[in-house]
Amino acid sequence: MKITVVGAGNVGATAAQRLVDKELANEVVLVDIIEGLPQGKGLDMYESAPIEATDTHVIGTNSYDETAGSHIVVITAGIARKPGMTREQLQDTNADIVKGVTEAIVAKSPQAILIVVSNPLDVMTYVAYKVSGFERHRVIGMAGILDTARYRTFIAMELGVSVEDVQALVLGGHGDSMVPLVRYTTVAGVPVTEFLDKPTIDKLVQRTRDGGIEIVNYLKTGSAYYAPSAAAVEMVKTVVKDKKRILPCAAYLQGEYGLRDTYIGVPVKLGRKGIEKIVEVPLTAEEKAALTKSAEEVKNNIAKLKL
Ligand code: APR
């Protein structure tokens, strides 16, 4: 198993480190345009392998030659948000970057599964899909696992219970229009509404929507990377181990949920082939309307692309 991570910045390097620590590949290749950055981080990481007791070999490079034959490629290249910026303001810059990265990757790894992390997430995953020409099950966006993890964390914090016991599903685009499904949120199998009143749940839902900017406002120089890299690695792990987990991911829809020709966060069954099934959970009229509105926002941004 060979995994490439493009972008050796905060998200990419942390993702690579997690892949190495978890020994999820024989080889991890870290690519960046900045000379020396991926080489230095890659070597530093490899030097941690004897201590972490992992045999994953990691190298850093500025060229795509070393990425040839990758099974999975995680794309984190691009600029990150600073305070006052929306994810959409990254679109023009990151679309050019993701387009170039995808072309370079596809030339060397035509069979790879692409996991996109660059923002605005749903639009960038669409860019990778269109530019790669890959089937839709091989181009997947990371957002739902992150949004769901934030939501689960806030509920666990509020109740003072283990994060492991909070199960939830956040659908929709990775932005203000995301759709946390309160009806499907449980604590040890019991609906969350048995534990928390509506105003409290509404507050936690809003904090989830603002989860990204909350971190940006703290960091000031960039955006979140511990939870985003963990979420991307969760997807990698599910594919590598063919776990067939049901996880919320950005997928290209062709009629599912009444939506088509757009990427949007929905539950999918992930396995060795990538997306093995798009899972259509029953939604109320209100939930469906929120998902449709979220998809329309993504579509409007897709329409602005100059590919
Ligand atoms: N090819 C390869 N790497 C590139 C390219 C490119 N064409 N363009 C930029 N990069 C690299 C940068 O050199 C930098 O090292 O991408 C890296 C981005 O790292 P950071 O600036 O630390 O940003 P990060 O926090 O990792 O976020 C990356 O993921 O979560 C999203 O919104 C976030 O779009 C952003 C992306």
Side-chain angles (χ1 to χ4, degrees):
M1 183 58 66
K2 178 170 177 176
I3 302 173
T4 287
V5 179
V6 188
N10 284 335
V11 178
T14 314
Q17 185 193 3
R18 292 184 192 282
L19 293 171
V20 173
D21 287 355
K22 290 176 192 278
E23 212 172 32
L24 284 175
N26 306 93
E27 192 177 2
V28 170
V29 182
L30 191 55
V31 186
D32 203 286
I33 40 166
I34 300 177
E35 259 177 55
L37 182 78
Q39 289 89 342
K41 288 191 180 185
L43 181 59
D44 190 12
M45 237 177 259
Y46 193 38
E47 288 165 356
S48 72
I51 305 165
E52 292 295 331
T54 159
D55 274 310
T56 297
H57 182 204
V58 50
I59 57 156
T61 174
N62 302 119
S63 128
Y64 284 85
D65 290 343
E66 290 89 339
T67 70
S70 293
H71 299 94
I72 302 174
V73 178
V74 181
I75 300 176
T76 77
I79 55 167
R81 277 196 291 176
K82 303 241 164 54
M85 286 176 85
T86 63
R87 291 187 182 91
E88 283 62 39
Q89 284 170 310
L90 309 174
Q91 179 160 317
D92 289 346
T93 305
N94 284 355
D96 284 344
I97 292 172
V98 171
K99 181 171 184 273
V101 166
T102 305
E103 285 166 350
I105 284 295
V106 167
K108 301 283 178 187
S109 302
Q111 302 304 325
I113 290 173
L114 308 182
I115 296 177
V116 181
V117 181
S118 311
N119 271 310
L121 189 276
D122 305 273
V123 183
M124 291 307 111
T125 315
Y126 177 89
V127 171
Y129 170 66
K130 282 288 167 191
V131 172
S132 67
F134 285 3
E135 311 92 316
R136 66 172 180 161
H137 67 264
R138 289 202 284 143
V139 187
I140 320 163
M142 186 295 295
I145 300 173
L146 169 62
D147 295 332
T148 303
R150 286 179 171 150
Y151 180 52
R152 290 171 62 192
T153 305
F154 298 146
I155 291 169
M157 281 162 69
E158 185 72 28
L159 290 173
V161 301
S162 166
V163 289
E164 280 182 65
D165 286 329
V166 182
Q167 292 301 326
L169 203 48
V170 177
L171 307 188
H174 184 46
D176 300 339
S177 65
M178 69 179 73
V179 188
L181 296 177
V182 174
R183 235 163 26 94
Y184 291 130
T185 306
T186 59
V187 181
V190 179
V192 70
T193 44
E194 298 292 328
F195 296 95
L196 296 172
D197 58 20
K198 190 169 182 308
T200 307
I201 294 172
D202 288 348
K203 186 186 74 183
L204 301 182
V205 164
Q206 191 55 44
R207 191 172 176 192
T208 304
R209 290 209 169 94
D210 298 335
I213 203 67
E214 185 175 3
I215 305 291
V216 169
N217 287 339
Y218 277 126
L219 296 182
K220 299 191 175 64
T221 53
S223 54
Y225 54 101
Y226 290 113
S229 60
V233 169
E234 182 78 347
M235 292 169 70
V236 172
K237 180 178 160 190
T238 305
V239 172
V240 169
K241 295 188 181 284
D242 196 22
K243 284 176 78 80
K244 308 202 188 294
R245 291 198 59 195
I246 309 287
L247 295 167
C249 298
Y252 190 71
L253 299 189
Q254 287 172 322
E256 297 88 356
Y257 290 97
L259 303 167
R260 58 174 60 247
D261 301 332
T262 190
Y263 267 87
I264 197 83
V266 291
V268 303
K269 182 165 95 175
L270 266 194
R272 185 53 78 93
K273 297 193 189 77
I275 294 180
E276 299 192 351
K277 187 178 181 353
I278 292 173
V279 180
E280 291 195 75
V281 295
L283 299 180
T284 63
E286 200 183 335
E287 289 161 350
K288 180 91 186 296
L291 185 65
T292 304
K293 181 170 167 286
S294 187
E296 270 161 17
E297 284 182 17
V298 174
K299 271 194 165 188
N300 287 341
N301 288 323
I302 285 175
K304 292 180 200 148
L305 284 170
K306 302 171 221 73
L307 283 183

